[in-house]
Amino acid sequence: MKNKTGDIIQRCTSDAERVRIFIAEQMVSVVRIVIMMGLSLYFMFSMDWRLSLVAACAIPVIVGYSAFFHAKIGGSFEKCDENEGILSTIAQENLTGVRVVRAFGREEFERKRFEKQNVYYTGLWISLMKLMAVFWGIGDFISGLQVLLILVLGSVFCVRGTLSAGEFIAFLSYNMMLIWPVRQLGRVISEMSKAGVSIERIMYIMNSPVEKDRDNAVSREETDKALKGDIIFENVNFGYEPDIPIVSDINLTIPAGSTFGILGSTGSGKSTLMHLLNRLYELPEENGKITIGGVDIADMKAEDLRRNIGMVLQEPFLFSRTISENISITNRNMSMEEIRKAAKIACVDEAITEFKNGYDTVVGERGVTLSGGQKQRTAIARMLTSRAPIMVFDDSLSAVDAETDARIRRALSESLGDSTVILISHRITTLMQADQIMVLDKGRIVEMGTPDELLEKNGIYRKIYDMQLSLSEDETA
Ligand SMILES: Nc1ncnc2c1ncn2[C@@H]1O[C@H](COP(=O)(O)OP(=O)(O)OP(=O)(O)O)[C@@H](O)[C@H]1O
Ligand SMILES: [Mg+2]
């Protein structure tokens, strides 16, 4: 989660591709270059060693220059690539976010931004081409000089009679055969260093630690049994960054089978507590512990734990597949009946059957064909099919109206059975039915008790209660 998704994808695609190209193409040319150079030099030395020495002396110069040239050009190519990426990000953002752009009247601004980047990108290519022109020119000149030197010296030797005209011609052809591989060698060297960088970037991912369960993790059966028990947070402290605490001194007990409500302003740490509960983030050992049915969740296998905790995340994510596939993601063999049953409880069946393709409707790119409320309810249906003993609704009904909210909760309470339910919501009417409510403020528990107890306390809960309920009375009045 520390790495941007785009960066990870780039490491998996362009870096892997660069290494592949190096191995597939450059390795072959390395073999060819070595053979060509070796043979040419062998024949040249067997004809005239003095002339060959002169020819060979130029090799390091040409290789060095060529390596330097390709390294330099490579950097510019990378810069072009990078800026092409920026350009396409701007285009992509504006296409996907076209409604936001228009709603805020930012068309002109965004157009200018694109144009600016486009001009910059074009400029980069033009200067790269100029650079190429200069470098190729100089490269040709240097290798030309070497040929000239051989030509002059060879002619002198011929005139003196130490070299025959035939040998001289043959020598010249071998020299020509030598030059090109030598220039290629410089290129290979610079490609090799780039491939090296790519290998490093790939290894960073390959070597990153895999999510690991403890060696002495409790068995699956025991976990399944434990997860039907009470959830207990003991002195839990946690922050995403080491020095920035997000939740502090959390002590709470959620009895098995009860409904537990959490109320708190945005950013107070509600979702964070849920991330800890199913170990999307690990709680460091000295930061307290979370037990379920008496077993520390750190001692369970992550897979067993998560299978037993149904979560509707705050920002439900649906895959670009059909609705029925999205709902039955926990079990591919689920029957249509089961899928529909879950959808009915989540009050989304009606909406889905109204679609032309019903349950076979493919959810569009990032779920754009579904409304926010439909997405949330589909996610609830998906969670219900897992029949987990612990169910978490993280603000899962925020995008549906109060009436639908009530309908879903009624249907839920009939079907949840003896599951432990954690309800996070900003809506008092949603929380009112909970057995216990905790009020969280800036990562600390400020109130906890039954809804009636909290009403009497005259604290935050009471304030929000009065505010929301008087509002709804105003509406009905
Ligand atoms: N992955 C993360 N990395 C770093 N900081 C995070 C991360 N997720 C949340 N935070 C920070 O932790 C704090 C608590 O966030 P959290 O999502 O738990 O709040 P919340 O109570 O669920 O709020 P909301 O009601 O808006 O959903 C926020 O200040 C947020 O910026
Ligand atoms: Mg949240």
Side-chain angles (χ1 to χ4, degrees):
M1 306 229 182
K2 282 191 196 120
N3 295 301
K4 288 209 182 107
T5 336
D7 182 54
I8 296 177
I9 289 176
Q10 193 179 23
R11 284 171 198 245
C12 295
T13 52
S14 41
D15 284 315
E17 182 65 8
R18 180 171 287 163
V19 176
R20 186 192 73 78
I21 289 179
F22 180 75
I23 292 173
E25 290 168 18
Q26 307 291 330
M27 286 306 222
V28 179
S29 52
V30 167
V31 174
R32 204 179 44 222
I33 288 169
V34 169
I35 293 178
M36 291 277 279
M37 279 176 64
L39 284 178
S40 308
L41 281 173
Y42 170 76
F43 289 124
M44 283 160 76
F45 270 97
S46 63
M47 275 181 231
D48 188 317
W49 67 270
R50 287 163 306 177
L51 211 49
S52 304
L53 220 53
V54 174
C57 277
I59 291 180
V61 178
I62 300 175
V63 172
Y65 172 79
S66 172
F68 167 75
F69 158 43
H70 285 289
K72 182 104 184 160
I73 293 271
S76 305
F77 264 118
E78 245 158 57
K79 205 163 164 208
C80 284
D81 270 356
E82 239 169 61
N83 278 280
E84 190 187 349
I86 296 173
L87 191 68
S88 58
T89 306
I90 294 177
Q92 195 196 347
E93 268 179 7
N94 278 306
L95 289 175
T96 42
V98 63
R99 291 193 190 92
V100 181
V101 173
R102 287 164 87 173
F104 287 90
R106 302 283 277 179
E107 293 101 322
E108 192 53 27
F109 172 82
E110 291 296 334
R111 207 181 55 74
K112 284 218 177 96
R113 195 161 78 103
F114 180 82
E115 201 170 284
K116 196 170 144 209
Q117 179 62 22
N118 200 11
V119 169
Y120 180 64
Y121 174 60
T122 314
L124 279 180
W125 265 107
I126 292 176
S127 56
L128 174 63
M129 287 302 134
K130 280 186 186 153
L131 201 67
M132 294 265 272
V134 173
F135 271 117
W136 276 113
I138 296 178
D140 284 349
F141 181 71
I142 293 179
S143 14
L145 269 187
Q146 190 254 20
V147 176
L148 186 70
L149 201 63
I150 302 284
L151 210 58
V152 172
L153 274 178
S155 314
V156 173
F157 290 164
C158 274
V159 171
R160 283 193 190 153
T162 49
L163 192 69
S164 76
E167 274 177 323
F168 181 40
I169 299 291
F171 190 93
L172 268 183
S173 343
Y174 283 126
N175 188 54
M176 293 313 280
M177 255 192 233
L178 179 70
I179 291 288
W180 191 242
V182 166
R183 291 182 73 173
Q184 292 264 299
L185 192 62
R187 182 191 177 134
V188 171
I189 289 170
S190 85
E191 291 286 330
M192 196 149 68
S193 69
K194 271 192 268 169
V197 172
S198 287
I199 288 176
E200 249 169 56
R201 282 169 55 86
I202 294 170
M203 288 323 277
Y204 174 80
I205 290 187
M206 304 286 275
N207 292 336
S208 45
V210 181
E211 187 179 55
K212 235 178 39 202
D213 295 311
R214 290 190 177 164
D215 295 335
N216 51 355
V218 294
S219 70
R220 188 173 171 158
E221 291 74 31
E222 263 178 86
T223 307
D224 286 353
K225 217 173 96 208
L227 281 147
K228 295 195 175 72
D230 300 353
I231 303 170
I232 299 175
F233 280 63
E234 263 175 62
N235 295 319
V236 170
N237 291 283
F238 178 77
Y240 294 96
E241 306 294 334
D243 298 324
I244 311 169
I246 300 289
V247 289
S248 318
D249 303 326
I250 302 293
N251 282 292
L252 60 92
T253 303
I254 305 175
S258 70
T259 300
F260 190 82
I262 304 179
L263 179 71
S265 52
T266 58
S268 54
K270 305 178 298 290
S271 300
T272 303
L273 288 180
M274 298 305 111
H275 292 159
L276 292 173
L277 182 65
N278 77 350
R279 274 176 54 196
L280 286 179
Y281 288 87
E282 297 277 350
L283 192 61
E285 227 159 281
E286 65 278 15
N287 290 15
K289 73 179 180 183
I290 303 172
T291 61
I292 305 179
V295 180
D296 191 335
I297 58 167
D299 288 330
M300 300 175 181
K301 290 201 182 86
E303 189 198 336
D304 295 340
L305 174 71
R306 291 178 195 151
R307 194 166 28 80
N308 282 295
I309 302 182
M311 253 199 211
V312 184
L313 295 173
Q314 193 163 11
E315 292 151 14
F317 179 84
L318 300 179
F319 294 94
S320 300
R321 301 176 198 163
T322 66
I323 292 177
S324 63
E325 276 177 305
N326 264 297
I327 295 178
S328 64
I329 218 141
T330 48
N331 175 8
R332 281 280 96 125
N333 304 320
M334 201 173 292
S335 70
M336 202 55 216
E337 250 166 79
E338 275 177 278
I339 294 175
R340 282 198 73 166
K341 197 173 144 211
K344 272 184 188 143
I345 297 170
C347 295
V348 70
D349 175 67
E350 221 173 288
I352 296 174
T353 43
E354 269 171 27
F355 290 138
K356 200 169 84 218
N357 294 325
Y359 279 83
D360 293 327
T361 306
V362 175
V363 179
E365 196 185 24
R366 287 186 230 123
V368 282
T369 52
L370 297 191
S371 75
Q374 285 164 348
K375 248 196 294 186
Q376 283 189 336
R377 283 176 288 162
T378 307
I380 293 176
R382 169 170 68 191
M383 192 263 258
L384 288 175
T385 60
S386 68
R387 291 213 198 84
I390 297 172
M391 295 193 178
V392 178
F393 297 86
D394 190 350
D395 223 356
S396 316
L397 297 168
S398 59
V400 300
D401 55 89
E403 203 179 312
T404 316
D405 180 346
R407 247 174 71 207
I408 295 174
R409 268 181 295 114
R410 245 191 332 266
L412 274 177
S413 60
E414 280 162 23
S415 71
L416 286 179
D418 46 11
S419 292
T420 312
V421 177
I422 300 176
L423 263 180
I424 297 176
S425 179
H426 290 282
R427 215 177 252 153
I428 290 286
T429 46
T430 308
L431 295 172
M432 256 163 30
Q433 269 101 32
D435 300 305
Q436 252 198 110
I437 297 173
M438 164 175 91
V439 182
L440 208 60
D441 188 32
K442 299 196 188 80
R444 286 178 190 277
I445 302 178
V446 286
E447 283 172 38
M448 183 138 66
T450 65
D452 291 336
E453 282 169 4
L454 290 186
L455 268 187
E456 275 169 30
K457 233 184 203 161
N458 257 331
I460 298 181
Y461 178 81
R462 177 66 195 238
K463 226 158 79 195
I464 299 174
Y465 178 93
D466 286 343
M467 231 154 56
Q468 291 192 1
L469 292 199
S470 68
L471 251 181
S472 56
E473 271 162 26
D474 286 351
E475 273 169 27
T476 47

